[in-house]
Structures are given as structure tokens and as C-alpha cells.
Amino acid sequence: MTPSRDGIAEANAAALAAMRHAYPLYSHFRVGAALRAKDGTLVAGCNVENAAFPSGTCAERGALAAAVAKGHRKFDLLVVATDAGEPTPPCGMCRQAVMEFSPKLRVIAVTTGGKRSEWVLTDLLPQPFTPASLSST
Ligand code: THU
């Protein structure tokens, strides 16, 4: 792929590729996510469900855990890919999880049908619980 100027095409491709590895045995809802670290590294994740339903994990938190394990802690872009009819933003738990690291994160949701929506994380989670909240007692 010819590199795109803003790198969005590469992040979309990484999220879509991860989506194809999703394990959505129970919901049949495939999700892929790609987080871009400040140095440009893309780290992807997919949803991994489980017969014990609450043990399943979302694509975004899978990507976050993998990225942190590689030493990344600051991110500028999250792409969420699905084959839903409309782009889907991250769930509440995933919003909280990434907020910890990058409040101003740019969040893009894409579909395999070519639809796209975009937000800033602070708009998706306007009153977050943050590390500072712990010391405000
Ligand atoms: N899911 C994600 O991976 N990310 C989200 O932000 C929303 C939901 C997954 C969890 C579950 O495997 C499936 O989608 C249906 O909820």
C-alpha cells in the first residue's frame, strides 16, 4: 500500500485485518481495532468472546493491552472496524480504558461497507474518572 499522508488508510487497514481474526462465536458481531502510538506504531486487537460470556473482551481493549505490553502509553488515533450497517463507537468500558492514556484521542469508526464516523474521546466520555480523580478525596 502506498503510504497515505495522514496514515489513516494504514490504521483502517490494520483494524479491518484484525476484525477478520475476531472470535465472535456468540454475538456474531466482528470488531477490529487499531491504536496508533505517538511514534506511529499501529497495534491491533479484535473481540474475543468466551463460552463464559463475561470473560470475553472487546477489540479496543485487546489493542490497548497489546500496545501497553509493547511499551506504548500515548496514542493519537483509534480506528474501530465492523461490518455493521453503521459505524459503531467504542463501548463505555473501552472509552474509559483508553481515556486513562490519551484523553484527546481521535476515534474513527469504519464499516466494511465504506461508512465512517469520527469523534474526539473527550466528547464520547465527557466526565471521565481519571488518575487525578483518585487523589481528589
Ligand atoms: N465489542 C467490541 O469489541 N467493541 C465495542 O466497543 C463494542 C462491542 C464486542 C464485544 C462483543 O464481543 C461483541 O462486540 C458484541 O457486543
Side-chain angles (χ1 to χ4, degrees), residues 23-29 47-53 56:
Y23 183 76
L25 196 62
Y26 307 99
S27 73
H28 308 291
F29 190 76
N47 57 328
V48 181
E49 299 187 351
N50 193 277
F53 294 175

Side-chain angles (χ1 to χ4, degrees), residues 2-103:
T2 310
S4 62
R5 192 174 46 81
D6 57 8
I8 303 292
E10 289 82 352
N12 286 356
L16 285 161
M19 190 197 92
R20 298 197 171 93
H21 293 294
Y23 183 76
L25 196 62
Y26 307 99
S27 73
H28 308 291
F29 190 76
R30 290 182 175 276
V31 188
L35 258 181
R36 186 171 68 190
K38 280 286 163 73
D39 70 356
T41 303
L42 286 170
V43 183
C46 61
N47 57 328
V48 181
E49 299 187 351
N50 193 277
F53 294 175
S55 301
T57 53
C58 288
E60 297 91 326
R61 278 176 293 127
L64 178 65
V68 172
K70 287 175 186 282
H72 302 293
R73 293 194 174 178
K74 287 290 163 208
F75 308 98
D76 68 353
L77 176 67
L78 169 65
V79 175
V80 181
T82 68
D83 52 16
E86 297 297 327
T88 56
C91 77
M93 193 181 284
C94 291
R95 295 179 198 194
Q96 175 66 33
V98 287
M99 173 63 74
E100 176 88 8
F101 296 92
S102 296

